Amino acid sequence: MKTSSWEIIIAGFIFVGVAIYLIEQNSDAPVSNETAAADSIRINLNGNDIRVFELKSLQNLENLKNLENLENLKNLRNLENLKNLTNFLPAEVRTEFEAEIDEVMQEFEQESVNVVVNTEKGTVSVDKIVPASSGNWTAVSPGVFAYAKEFDATTLQETRLELPFGSIDVIGSSGPKAEFTVKASGQISTKADLQSKINTSTNITADRAFFKITPQTGQSKNLNIQLQATLSIPENIRVHMLTNAGHISSEDIHGEQNYKTLGGHITLKNISGKISAETGGGHISISDSEGHLVLNSKGGSIHTQNSTGRLIMKTAGGNLQAYDFGGSVDASTNGGNIELRFLKLDGNSSATTGAGTITLWTPKSENASFNLAGSSIEIDSELDFQGTTSSGSAQGTIGNGATSITAKTNYGKVILHAKN
């Protein structure tokens, strides 16, 4: 009953609040004999419409503009009269319903709302306001709570975020401000209920920002809660992100970076620097990036696109792909295929798989030496390959052989293509 009654209670709050305001504002106004139009009130919490209500008794919607003067829901303390509705409920649920009304009233006692009246459309939009710099949990819709913290990042050099579960999104910006937000949803009835399950800690100094969410002492690991965190920070700082179960994404960050999840995917775009990404059982994808890239998955595939630098890819049981890569690559998988498509060779590279096909693409104009081993070897005739080949190995060069490429598979083919 918790979740469904939440909407009912909020709807009741708005109806009773509107009624109270109309009565107070129009107690001395003359009574109109005009036929009332069917006006509608739209309740909107955090951008999501909950219901559209028709109120056939509202004749002067213009008077509802007085609602815009409401600062917070404490002005609607008379809504406790909503308990009178319980007289129409069966006795077996009456006590629980009254208790839920008390909980919700306590929840919203300090919360802010924004009431927008549109007389042309005949609507009243009631929005929940979540202060960006509050640093407190706030209810934004039934069963959904948000925590927001905005801070100055002019001298910030490092930021860390640790979650016990849930997703993390990191967004780089050129501005001096930073903002940390996290949404919690699931089996949560009130803010007090949420805070009894998790603890939120922040430690912000001039050069360092640390955020951490942990289960409260005595709580089980399965809290039936989902967390979704977003961190917007200046692009040129050190980043350390950890979630024990969830996805991580990061974009437009250009400093030392460390991403780790014990069970989710990692997606990185337009980043640079010294980068480490590790997942216990998901895929890793990186694109439009450069630097020293160390990517490690214990059970998923790794894919890179249009990137440059020094790339190290390792997975226990997935495929490895580096498309349109410029630089050097070390790729290793216990049981999967490897495909490396070089735009430019810069440094020595290697590819090793326990069981799978290794496919290499190199420009015809490059200078490289090759040491290839597998069940069979195929070399593109467009390459000016000079050396020795057999059914299971090949050693030779193209050009002056300045860089070295080694490829070995225990059970599978090695294919060397010319990239035009």
Side-chain angles (χ1 to χ4, degrees):
M1 181 176 177
K2 295 278 185 188
T3 301
S4 59
S5 64
W6 231 86
E7 293 187 10
I8 297 173
I9 292 172
I10 293 176
F13 277 12
I14 301 303
F15 276 124
V16 178
V18 169
I20 292 172
Y21 242 81
L22 288 178
I23 292 171
E24 291 179 353
Q25 298 297 325
N26 297 286
S27 58
D28 298 326
V31 178
S32 172
N33 293 323
E34 296 179 3
T35 303
D39 299 315
S40 65
I41 290 182
R42 184 177 69 253
I43 297 178
N44 181 287
L45 296 180
N46 198 34
N48 296 313
D49 289 342
I50 294 179
R51 293 284 189 271
V52 175
F53 302 95
E54 287 190 354
L55 304 179
K56 299 183 182 297
S57 61
L58 294 182
Q59 299 180 15
N60 298 307
L61 187 63
E62 185 73 29
N63 291 325
L64 287 180
K65 286 193 173 181
N66 293 314
L67 286 172
E68 296 177 358
N69 298 322
L70 290 179
E71 294 182 355
N72 53 56
L73 287 174
K74 286 196 298 182
N75 295 326
L76 302 181
R77 293 300 298 269
N78 289 333
L79 295 181
E80 192 167 0
N81 294 327
L82 191 63
K83 288 183 180 179
N84 293 331
L85 293 175
T86 60
N87 295 329
F88 301 97
L89 297 177
E92 58 269 20
V93 298
R94 187 178 303 165
T95 301
E96 181 181 357
F97 192 82
E98 291 180 350
E100 290 188 24
I101 293 175
D102 288 335
E103 283 185 338
V104 174
M105 286 191 65
Q106 292 174 7
E107 188 72 51
F108 287 122
E109 194 172 45
Q110 302 297 329
E111 307 300 348
S112 299
V113 296
N114 182 32
V115 181
V116 179
V117 178
N118 188 323
T119 56
E120 293 182 0
K121 294 183 178 179
T123 61
V124 179
S125 178
V126 183
D127 298 320
K128 190 66 174 298
I129 299 175
V130 182
S133 59
S134 66
N136 294 303
W137 285 100
T138 304
V140 295
S141 63
V144 180
F145 296 79
Y147 178 98
K149 184 68 177 178
E150 187 178 276
F151 56 98
D152 180 69
T154 304
T155 59
L156 191 67
Q157 298 181 16
E158 178 182 11
T159 181
R160 293 176 178 265
L161 170 59
E162 297 182 11
L163 298 183
F165 46 80
S167 65
I168 297 175
D169 295 323
V170 184
I171 304 171
S173 67
S174 57
K177 294 291 185 179
E179 183 178 355
F180 169 65
T181 61
V182 58
K183 286 187 177 181
S185 59
Q187 295 185 9
I188 315 166
S189 57
T190 64
K191 182 167 64 176
D193 181 31
L194 174 64
Q195 292 176 324
S196 71
K197 295 178 179 179
I198 62 173
N199 177 63
T200 307
S201 62
T202 64
N203 183 6
I204 301 174
T205 63
D207 61 351
R208 184 174 182 270
F210 178 52
F211 305 95
K212 187 174 184 178
I213 297 179
T214 55
Q216 292 284 14
T217 303
Q219 288 289 339
S220 64
K221 292 184 179 180
N222 184 16
L223 298 176
N224 293 316
I225 297 175
Q226 294 80 46
L227 298 177
Q228 182 179 356
T230 301
L231 189 60
S232 178
I233 52 177
E235 57 189 6
N236 296 308
I237 64 173
R238 295 190 299 274
V239 171
H240 304 270
M241 299 290 123
L242 168 65
T243 176
N244 290 329
H247 305 317
I248 298 176
S249 70
S250 182
E251 185 172 358
D252 299 328
I253 299 294
H254 307 290
E256 182 179 339
Q257 300 160 60
N258 186 286
Y259 306 98
K260 184 176 182 180
T261 173
L262 301 186
H265 305 319
I266 299 176
T267 304
L268 311 174
K269 183 177 181 181
N270 190 31
I271 63 174
S272 64
K274 186 178 181 181
I275 298 154
S276 173
E278 179 180 350
T279 173
H283 306 314
I284 300 176
S285 175
I286 183 169
S287 62
D288 305 316
S289 301
E290 62 178 326
H292 186 82
L293 316 175
V294 180
L295 314 178
N296 192 334
S297 176
K298 294 183 179 179
S301 299
I302 301 175
H303 175 83
T304 71
Q305 179 76 47
N306 192 34
S307 298
T308 61
R310 173 70 172 154
L311 172 62
I312 299 174
M313 297 188 294
K314 184 176 181 180
T315 179
N319 299 325
L320 302 177
Q321 298 171 326
Y323 290 172
D324 299 329
F325 191 83
S328 63
V329 178
D330 283 342
S332 174
T333 174
N334 292 339
N337 300 324
I338 300 176
E339 186 172 4
L340 308 179
R341 300 187 180 190
F342 290 99
L343 287 177
K344 180 178 177 56
L345 299 176
D346 185 9
N348 299 331
S349 297
S350 66
T352 305
T353 178
T357 298
I358 299 176
T359 306
L360 307 173
W361 299 73
T362 182
K364 291 184 289 186
S365 60
E366 282 291 349
N367 299 300
S369 62
F370 296 90
N371 186 354
L372 314 177
S375 301
S376 62
I377 308 295
E378 297 179 11
I379 299 177
D380 195 328
S381 60
E382 291 189 29
L383 290 171
D384 184 19
F385 183 86
Q386 301 295 321
T388 60
T389 61
S390 65
S391 60
S393 66
Q395 294 83 34
T397 63
I398 58 173
N400 62 23
T403 58
S404 171
I405 298 180
T406 301
K408 181 180 179 180
T409 174
N410 293 329
Y411 303 97
K413 296 188 295 184
V414 177
I415 305 171
L416 180 58
H417 282 293
K419 183 175 177 62
N420 298 318

